[in-house]
Each structure stands twice: as structure tokens, then as C-alpha cells.
């Protein structure tokens, strides 16, 4: 029996949504609210091939949800709100509580809020989205799909930190890995793109404003560059990625900043933004670098080096490399980043076709390359919808 399911991704000032007919996975509606809380709020969606854009102040997520529900009925996308049979919410951190999709109740909401200290950029706003939909559609089951779930197959030798072990036992401090919904999509789709013998040693590069690399073997996560929180790993738009932990008390001593101010700096003032002194958007940084801005070029160089460092580490974990995948905003659209990463991997016998790369084609490796290099647009929403369909 077919069911209409909504996939939701809540941001601090945004709300992205897709309405699916399941199990056919037909996209009935997709769109987003932007600049929630501002006078310049925008509501845009695509329905039956046509895009609609409406501008009107939306002061909170509940107002956005109410507007979305009215619009779907008024336009005729739904006969009534009861047509929706399940809602899936992307949640950043599931901690030790959740290894898979979970029906949301009060306890789940409390735990998502509690874990906000570990994922401060995401869990709190994910929770806002949950509450907004529960206020408007209280009788419709909602499901939490966690970014950490797909990495639960990482083994203890790779997820345990070398600190007193009781912190792991008592507080669950370990490497969790993130962007699992995106990496899961890549793992599930990859057999459609490469032969079976190319699935054993895969590195998936989710490169967006946030970014992570996952080592995958036959659809299972071997390792992931993010750690206890989404702050660890590669350089990101505003996040530092890995830093020497001794830097933190040193900054505190020198500046008088407390732990919360330093956490804020590492999450919101670092990464490409911190180094370039210009922007957290890779497109802006690339444009400045190409125009001769040396600080912007340094930011890109550090970013690329951080990616390659993890690729190198995962060559050991996997015993080599058969397939390299680029996905998410930067991975899908920045030919420059892909070129520079692949140049450093030439020793593997990896060679890209620069013409295909510049055109953002799917297969960008040269016919003589010993490693397949593929660009696959991620689709986190369909993973969310599939998980909801399985749970309700």
C-alpha cells in the first residue's frame, strides 16, 4: 500500500522538505523555507515541474510548518493533512542511545536535546523542527533518522580514544562518525555505478559546508573522519576540524576566553572562514584565490590537505582504493577541489579526465585510471523516507 511520507531537514533559519509517495519513491513536492525569523523570509517549492517562490515574513519554524500544510491543501497536493502518514527528521547526533531510525516520543526528544551539547550546530535546531511538526500534526507518527547510525559498524580499535577508558564506559566518549545518511545513500547507490569488484575499498567524500570522509567496504562503514562530535575531521566551512587539544587551554590562557567561547570559535569562526578571513563558502574562497588572494589560496590548500590526509589514512584501513566518490555541494560542483585532491593521489594510479571533471560528469576518471572516480549527487531525503516507511 502506498504512503505519503515527508522528509524534513531543519536548520537554524531554514526548513527543507520533500514529500514522497512510497514505496515508489516518487517525489511529489520539494522545497524549503529560508531566512526564518527575518522580514525577508522566502518559501519556495517545486510541484509538477513548476517552481513557486513566495516571500513573506516567517518568524519561527511552527509558522513555516503551518504555511506549508496550508499550501499543500490549497494547491491540491493533498486532499487533507491526514493524507500524510509519516514524517522523518534528520537528526545529527544519536549518541549511545540509537543505532537506527527511531519513532519519536518524549524520551527521544529529551535525548536529542541532551545530545545538543555534542552537536551544537544541529541537534538543537533539529529538535525545533520536530516540535514544530508535532504541534501542527500531533497525530502523525514521526521518526528520527540519526547521522551517527550508519557508522555503528566502526570497530573499537578505530572508535576508542586513548584517554582513560572509564570515560568511554561512563560517558560514551568515542568516535561516532557523522553524515551517515549521506554516506548510506552512496553505499546503497554505488552498486548501480561500479562493478562488484570495485565495492570492497571505497572512500566516500561528503564535502559541503560540513564535511566528512567515510571508508566503506561492501556497504559497511569502516571508519569516518568525524569523531565524538561533528567538529572533528577535515577542515570545513566554519569548523576547524582536527586540532591539537593543547591549543585550547593555551588560547584560554592567552585570551581569557572560557570553554564556551572557544567552542563557539571552533564551530562558527574557524575552517575556511577562519583561514581565509573572507567567507565560509568554498565558492567565494575559490573566486578570491583565483583572483590572487593568497589568504584564500592558503585556506583552500589547508582544506585539500586535510581531505588527502584522511584518504591516506583510509588506504591503510581498506588495504588500498578501488573507488573514490565525491558528493554534497563542494564534492558535486567544485572541479578545482576534485582536481587538486586527485593530483595528490596520482601515486595510486589514479588519473582523472579533466574535460569530464570540468563538466561535472558522473565518471571523471581517465580510462587508464586504476581507481574509479565518481561524482554522485547525494539524496539524504530518500534515505529518510525509506527509513520512515520501514518504521511506520
Amino acid at each position: 500500500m502506498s504512503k505519503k511520507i515527508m522528509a524534513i531537514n531543519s536548520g537554524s533559519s531554514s526548513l527543507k522538505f520533500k514529500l514522497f509517495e512510497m514505496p515508489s519513491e516518487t517525489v511529489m513536492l520539494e522545497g524549503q523555507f529560508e531566512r526564518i525569523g527575518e522580514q525577508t523570509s522566502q518559501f519556495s517549492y517545486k510541484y509538477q515541474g513548476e517552481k513557486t517562490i513566495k516571500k513573506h515574513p516567517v518568524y519561527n519554524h511552527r509558522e513555516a510548518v503551518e504555511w506549508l500544510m496550508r499550501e499543500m491543501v490549497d494547491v491540491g497536493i493533498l486532499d487533507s493533512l491526514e493524507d500524510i502518514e509519516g514524517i522523518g527528521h534528520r537528526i545529527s547526533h544519536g549518541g549511545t542511545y540509537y543505532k537506527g531510525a527511531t519513532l519519536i516520543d518524549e524520551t527521544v526528544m529529551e535525548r536529542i536535546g541532551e545530545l545538543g551539547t555534542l552537536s551544537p550546530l544541529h541537534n538543537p535546531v533539529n529538535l525545533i523542527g520536530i516540535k514544530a511538526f508535532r504541534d501542527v500534526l500531533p497525530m502523525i507518527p514521526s521518526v528520527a533518522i540519526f547521522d551517527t547510525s550508519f557508522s555503528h559498524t566502526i570497530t573499537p580499535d578505530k572508535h576508542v580514544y586513548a584517554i582513560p577508558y572509564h570515560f568511554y564506559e561512563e560517558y560514551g566518549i568515542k568516535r561516532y562518525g557523522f553524515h551517515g545518511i549521506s554516506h548510506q545513500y552512496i553505499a546503497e547507490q554505488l552498486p548501480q555505478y561500479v562493478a562488484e569488484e570495485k565495492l570492497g575499498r571505497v572512500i566516500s567524500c561528503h564535502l559541503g559546508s560540513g564535511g566528512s570522509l567515510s571508508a566503506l567496504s561492501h556497504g559497511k562503514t569502516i571508519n569516518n573522519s568525524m569523531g565524538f562530535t561533528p567538529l572533528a575531521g577535515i577542515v570545513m566551512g566554519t569548523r576547524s576540524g582536527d586540532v591539537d587539544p593543547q591549543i585550547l587551554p593555551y588560547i584560554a590562557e592567552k585570551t581569557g576566553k572560557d570553554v564556551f567561547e572557544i567552542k563557539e570559535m571552533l564551530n562558527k569562526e574557524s575552517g575556511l572562514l577562519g583561514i581565509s578571513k573572507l567567507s565560509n563558502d568554498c565558492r567565494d574562497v575559490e573566486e578570491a584565490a583565483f583572483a590572487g588572494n593568497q589568504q584564500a589560496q592558503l585556506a583552500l590548500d589547508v582544506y585539500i590537505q586535510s581531505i588527502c590526509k584522511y584518504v591516506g589514512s583510509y588506504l591503510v584501513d581498506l588495504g588500498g582504493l578501488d573507488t573514490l566518490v565525491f558528493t554534497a555541494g563542494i564534492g558535486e560542483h567544485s572541479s578545482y577541489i576534485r582536481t587538486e585532491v586527485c593530483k595528490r593521489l596520482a601515486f595510486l594510479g589514479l588519473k582523472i579526465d579533466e574535460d569530464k571533471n570540468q563538466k561535472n560528469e558522473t565518471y571523471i576518471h581517465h580510462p587508464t585510471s586504476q581507481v574509479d572516480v565518481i561524482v554522485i549527487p547525494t539524496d539524504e531525503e530518500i534515505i529518510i523516507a525509506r527509513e520512515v516507511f520501514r518504521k511506520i
Side-chain angles (χ1 to χ4, degrees):
M1 181 183 293
S2 66
K3 295 182 177 180
K4 293 180 175 63
I5 291 171
M6 292 208 73
I8 303 298
N9 191 346
S10 301
S12 57
S13 61
S14 65
L15 183 75
K16 297 180 181 179
F17 56 87
K18 276 190 182 180
L19 178 66
F20 291 91
E21 184 85 46
M22 298 295 287
S24 67
E25 301 189 351
T26 303
V27 178
M28 300 177 64
L29 173 77
E30 60 181 307
Q32 63 181 327
F33 288 86
E34 301 172 87
R35 303 187 186 95
I36 294 173
E38 301 178 20
Q39 290 287 333
T40 56
S41 305
Q42 178 171 296
F43 173 30
S44 60
Y45 62 87
K46 187 176 180 181
Y47 173 58
Q48 294 185 338
E50 294 187 10
K51 187 168 185 178
T52 299
I53 299 176
K54 298 187 176 184
K55 297 184 179 182
H56 189 275
V58 179
Y59 294 108
N60 54 57
H61 285 69
R62 176 169 179 164
E63 287 188 12
V65 174
E66 289 174 343
W67 191 0
L68 172 60
M69 295 302 112
R70 286 197 306 271
E71 190 78 7
M72 287 195 294
V73 174
D74 291 346
V75 173
I77 300 167
L78 302 175
D79 292 331
S80 72
L81 298 184
E82 286 72 28
D83 289 350
I84 300 173
E85 296 182 71
I87 303 169
H89 294 270
R90 177 190 177 183
I91 309 298
S92 176
H93 211 310
T96 57
Y97 298 122
Y98 305 110
K99 293 183 179 179
T102 303
L103 282 166
I104 296 172
D105 57 18
E106 292 300 324
T107 299
V108 173
M109 292 172 64
E110 287 176 10
R111 288 173 173 173
I112 290 170
E114 169 195 330
L115 292 164
T117 57
L118 306 185
S119 185
L121 298 184
H122 298 97
N123 268 43
V125 295
N126 298 156
L127 188 57
I128 288 171
I130 291 173
K131 290 178 178 178
F133 274 90
R134 284 170 68 88
D135 285 345
V136 178
L137 302 171
M139 302 304 294
I140 296 176
S142 54
V143 178
I145 296 88
F146 297 93
D147 252 352
T148 48
S149 295
F150 189 60
S151 295
H152 77 271
T153 51
I154 298 175
T155 53
D157 61 308
K158 297 180 179 66
H159 76 222
V160 170
Y161 289 108
I163 59 177
Y165 194 70
H166 69 86
F167 287 108
Y168 171 60
E169 296 174 305
E170 295 175 26
Y171 302 109
I173 296 177
K174 67 168 188 172
R175 179 182 301 278
Y176 285 96
F178 292 83
H179 291 135
I181 300 172
S182 178
H183 293 302
Q184 180 179 344
Y185 178 78
I186 297 302
E188 291 184 4
Q189 294 298 116
L190 201 54
Q192 301 179 25
Y193 290 85
V194 299
E196 173 68 26
E197 59 268 22
K198 290 285 188 176
L199 296 174
R201 303 179 299 180
V202 177
I203 296 176
S204 170
C205 303
H206 176 104
L207 306 178
S209 179
S212 69
L213 275 64
S214 270
L216 306 174
S217 181
H218 299 289
K220 301 292 184 182
T221 306
I222 304 300
N223 215 334
N224 181 276
S225 58
M226 286 180 165
F228 181 54
T229 75
L231 181 59
I234 66 170
V235 172
M236 293 170 253
T238 62
R239 281 173 266 178
S240 63
D242 295 337
V243 297
D244 180 343
Q246 192 61 34
I247 290 173
L248 310 185
Y250 184 79
I251 290 175
E253 291 170 9
K254 290 294 183 181
T255 66
K257 291 180 181 293
D258 62 29
V259 64
F260 299 104
E261 291 172 314
I262 293 174
K263 184 171 72 171
E264 190 83 354
M265 176 196 73
L266 294 175
N267 275 288
K268 298 183 179 180
E269 302 170 15
S270 301
L272 291 175
L273 173 62
I275 300 174
S276 71
K277 302 180 181 180
L278 175 72
S279 175
N280 67 311
D281 192 311
C282 190
R283 293 168 294 186
D284 297 336
V285 179
E286 283 187 23
E287 183 179 355
F290 298 160
N293 185 316
Q294 292 302 306
Q295 200 69 31
Q297 186 61 57
L298 176 62
L300 294 177
D301 291 343
V302 174
Y303 178 62
I304 292 161
Q305 171 61 22
S306 73
I307 295 169
C308 292
K309 179 181 75 172
Y310 272 97
V311 171
S313 172
Y314 294 162
L315 295 178
V316 177
D317 289 345
L318 294 166
L321 183 62
D322 300 313
T323 307
L324 181 67
V325 181
F326 290 97
T327 192
I330 297 170
E332 294 169 25
H333 301 293
S334 176
S335 59
Y336 173 77
I337 297 299
R338 294 193 300 261
T339 294
E340 294 303 311
V341 169
C342 290
K343 276 182 182 178
R344 290 160 174 77
L345 302 178
F347 70 94
L348 296 171
L350 185 157
K351 184 178 180 182
I352 63 170
D353 182 318
E354 197 53 56
D355 183 57
K356 293 179 180 178
N357 182 44
Q358 291 295 327
K359 294 177 181 177
N360 291 322
E361 293 188 10
T362 300
Y363 298 95
I364 62 172
H365 54 279
H366 191 273
T368 61
S369 179
Q370 295 178 36
V371 177
D372 285 6
V373 186
I374 308 174
V375 180
I376 302 177
T378 193
D379 190 344
E380 294 165 303
E381 289 82 7
I382 191 56
I383 293 295
I384 293 171
R386 289 171 185 169
E387 294 290 347
V388 175
F389 188 71
R390 282 192 279 262
K391 294 295 290 186
I392 63 173

